Amino acid sequence: MNILPGPRTIVGLFTALGLRTGGFYAVTISFLAPALQVFYIVVIFLIFNILFEVTSGYGTVGLTTGVPYDTYSLSDAFHKLSKVIMLFVMDRGRHRGVPLAIDRSILIPGEELLHQMNEEYNHRGGFSKKEERRSDGMKRSA
């Protein structure tokens, strides 16, 4: 199969990215060298494990695929820079933009901040006449 260098690069990128995201390909996989087919399988599982680890870190879930040769997490096998990046991912996941009306634990509010948040919440939507405020500012049906 002869493909010119320019289209070959585009087909290669499409195949590399499409294989991981949706199973799309521009060249029949059976035409590829067996070593490249094995490489694709390894890349798929490696990318899945890394994405699983990053997603778990962002969600602060604590799940891991682990490493096959020991009893610790996959992120523990990362290089130092990758571990620092995972720290930022976990921190960002912990402080993601969950609405304050649903989860106020994303902030450690002082009394003044709590009153300010209640005023903003009441100003935006307010409470219906059948609802009243609890002492912490949350809604409660009457």
Side-chain angles (χ1 to χ4, degrees):
M1 178 180 268
N2 292 332
I3 302 175
L4 297 174
R8 182 183 301 176
T9 303
I10 293 172
V11 166
L13 286 173
F14 178 79
T15 303
L17 298 174
L19 179 73
R20 179 64 217 139
T21 58
F24 303 117
Y25 52 89
V27 177
T28 306
I29 300 296
S30 64
F31 288 152
L32 299 175
L36 190 56
Q37 293 174 2
V38 170
F39 176 73
Y40 276 175
I41 291 171
V42 170
V43 166
I44 287 172
F45 284 115
L46 179 62
I47 289 176
F48 173 77
N49 287 342
I50 292 171
L51 287 176
F52 185 88
E53 200 79 14
V54 170
T55 303
S56 173
Y58 182 78
T60 61
V61 178
L63 295 176
T64 184
T65 56
V67 290
Y69 52 85
D70 213 336
T71 57
Y72 53 83
S73 72
L74 177 65
S75 60
D76 195 34
F78 289 169
H79 294 286
K80 289 181 182 180
L81 180 61
S82 300
K83 290 179 184 179
V84 170
I85 291 171
M86 278 298 294
L87 287 172
F88 284 114
V89 167
M90 290 187 302
D91 187 56
R92 178 66 183 128
R94 177 65 181 109
H95 299 292
R96 63 189 177 272
V98 176
L100 296 177
I102 295 173
D103 184 10
R104 291 183 179 217
S105 69
I106 61 170
L107 295 174
I108 303 172
E111 191 68 30
E112 181 180 338
L113 181 58
L114 183 61
H115 290 300
Q116 179 185 358
M117 290 180 349
N118 286 335
E119 290 300 320
E120 289 177 10
Y121 179 73
N122 292 337
H123 179 69
R124 275 186 282 159
F127 297 100
S128 67
K129 294 181 180 181
K130 292 185 176 182
E131 295 175 334
E132 60 182 21
R133 277 187 271 166
R134 298 188 317 205
S135 62
D136 63 357
M138 298 300 291
K139 292 192 262 186
R140 173 175 55 188
S141 296

